[in-house]
């Protein structure tokens, strides 16, 4: 049994960790019950920008788990916050590929969103933001390409090339970014994991330090690498994308590797019994 030491907060991925698509992972309710019982604060930080924080709260409620809005941070939210510090929202036009989870945070911060084929002088976008879009179309890709080629800054909410679902692993936002990059000749700036931006924002929300906060995720190339780049410890669960075989092909590593959140729950509760002063 693996144990933990000096953990005071968690940054937890969702897809592949808490669920596959609409199918909850076994032990989901018990995992959150343990976090509440141990008084461990957490932020659910996901690269998936397809839903809003409120929609994720609703999704978890449908699975029998209650979380609050401030406990959710999506890459869409992280992107909007990041851009609001670089640009004046009320003077900045954005074309978005993505669902409400990518669009609403930008609107909330005062950005103006442009529509299909609003391109050219005076009508085009200053920024193109691409997130996971389940209604992706030729027209959306064309509008994004035209804006980027006209000089709009190209931003990706995340670079995940794949997405675990209840039907298996399918394409993620990184596949959309790749298409736009090939069409425009411009590489995107990535906001989500493995870049440290979303982890740094989560740490600010938690009010904890790097030494006592750990990240839990299912992807080595995003969740774990992002934690390494941020300077925090990490835990890989094998219930999503990455496997133990993948560990042999990287030059970094998670602090812990566990099968799923059921094993994480067991380790958390056992560690609390052994060293109650550290949790």
């Amino acid at each position: 049994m693996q144990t933990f030491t000096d953990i005071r907060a968690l940054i937890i991925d969702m897809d592949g960790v808490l669920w596959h698509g609409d199918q909850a992972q076994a032990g989901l309710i018990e995992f959150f019950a343990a976090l509440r019982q141990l008084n461990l604060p957490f932020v659910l930080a996901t690269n998936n920008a397809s839903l809003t924080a409120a929609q994720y709260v609703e999704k978890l409620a449908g699975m029998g788990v209650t979380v609050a809005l401030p406990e959710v941070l999506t890459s869409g939210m992280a992107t909007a916050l990041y851009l609001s510090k670089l640009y004046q929202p009320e003077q900045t036009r954005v074309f978005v590929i993505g669902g409400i989870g990518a669009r609403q945070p930008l609107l909330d911060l005062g950005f103006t969103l442009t529509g299909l084929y609003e391109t050219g002088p005076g009508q085009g976008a200053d920024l193109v933001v691409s997130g996971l879009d389940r209604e992706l179309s030729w027209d959306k890709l064309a509008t994004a390409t035209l804006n980027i080629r006209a000089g709009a800054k190209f931003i990706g909410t995340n670079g995940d090339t794949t997405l675990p679902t209840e039907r298996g692993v399918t394409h993620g936002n990184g596949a959309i970014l790749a298409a736009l990059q090939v069409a425009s000749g411009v590489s995107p700036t990535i906001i989500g994991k493995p870049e440290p931006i979303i982890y740094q924002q989560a740490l600010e929300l938690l009010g904890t330090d790097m030494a006592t906060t750990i990240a839990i995720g299912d992807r080595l190339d995003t969740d774990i690498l992002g934690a390494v780049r941020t300077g925090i410890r990490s835990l890989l669960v094998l219930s999503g994308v990455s496997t133990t075989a993948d560990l042999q092909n990287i030059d970094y590593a998670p602090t812990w590797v566990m099968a799923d959140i059921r094993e994480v729950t067991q380790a958390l509760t056992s560690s609390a019994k052994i060293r109650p002063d550290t949790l």
Side-chain angles (χ1 to χ4, degrees):
M1 161 101 45
Q2 299 184 65
T3 59
F4 297 119
T5 57
D6 198 20
I7 296 174
R8 303 192 182 280
L10 306 172
I11 302 173
I12 307 166
D13 185 46
M14 291 194 269
D15 293 299
V17 177
L18 305 182
W19 56 63
H20 283 169
D22 292 324
Q23 181 65 46
Q25 292 277 46
L28 179 70
I29 292 175
E30 293 78 6
F31 173 64
F32 280 96
L35 297 184
R36 300 301 189 193
Q37 184 177 4
L38 295 169
N39 293 317
L40 276 175
F42 61 85
V43 165
L44 304 177
T46 177
N47 263 4
N48 192 332
S50 61
L51 300 180
T52 64
Q55 287 173 317
Y56 277 116
V57 169
E58 183 179 356
K59 180 171 183 173
L60 280 162
M63 296 177 178
V65 172
T66 300
V67 299
L69 282 174
E71 294 174 324
V72 178
L73 177 63
T74 72
S75 64
M77 297 164 64
T79 297
L81 181 59
Y82 173 81
L83 292 175
S84 72
K85 295 182 178 181
L86 295 180
Y87 301 91
Q88 294 181 313
E90 65 278 3
Q91 299 177 13
T92 306
R93 295 164 59 84
V94 188
F95 178 72
V96 179
I97 287 180
I100 189 65
R103 299 169 63 85
Q104 193 61 52
L106 290 163
L107 290 171
D108 290 343
L109 291 179
F111 288 94
T112 298
L113 304 190
T114 62
L116 292 175
Y117 296 113
E118 288 186 40
T119 59
Q123 292 188 326
D126 304 298
L127 308 169
V128 168
V129 170
S130 177
L132 184 66
D133 192 334
R134 290 184 171 86
E135 298 180 350
L136 184 65
S137 68
W138 170 275
D139 291 325
K140 290 181 181 180
L141 289 171
T143 302
T145 300
L146 289 167
N147 275 301
I148 296 168
R149 292 179 70 90
K153 299 297 182 182
F154 181 19
I155 310 294
T157 60
N158 67 290
D160 294 15
T161 56
T162 58
L163 177 71
T165 74
E166 67 273 22
R167 295 182 177 87
V169 177
T170 183
H171 62 287
N173 186 50
I176 302 173
L177 298 181
L180 293 174
Q181 181 172 341
V182 170
S184 69
V186 177
S187 300
T189 296
I190 306 296
I191 304 302
K193 300 171 275 186
E195 301 306 316
I197 295 170
I198 193 168
Y199 277 134
Q200 292 166 347
Q201 292 178 357
L203 286 166
E204 290 180 12
L205 289 172
L206 288 165
T208 55
D209 58 43
M210 293 190 296
T212 59
T213 304
I214 71 167
I216 300 176
D218 70 301
R219 297 182 66 116
L220 287 167
D221 60 342
T222 57
D223 304 314
I224 305 307
L225 181 56
V228 170
R229 290 179 175 178
T230 306
I232 61 177
R233 292 174 293 168
S234 61
L235 189 163
L236 174 70
V237 290
L238 301 174
S239 55
V241 173
S242 295
T243 66
T244 52
D246 295 329
L247 291 166
Q248 310 305 314
N249 302 316
I250 57 175
D251 57 4
Y252 57 93
T255 313
W256 302 276
V257 179
M258 296 187 186
D260 51 32
I261 53 175
R262 290 176 296 184
E263 186 175 350
V264 178
T265 301
Q266 188 176 7
L268 283 170
T269 54
S270 296
S271 297
K273 293 175 183 177
I274 294 169
R275 299 189 60 185
D277 59 310
T278 64
L279 287 175

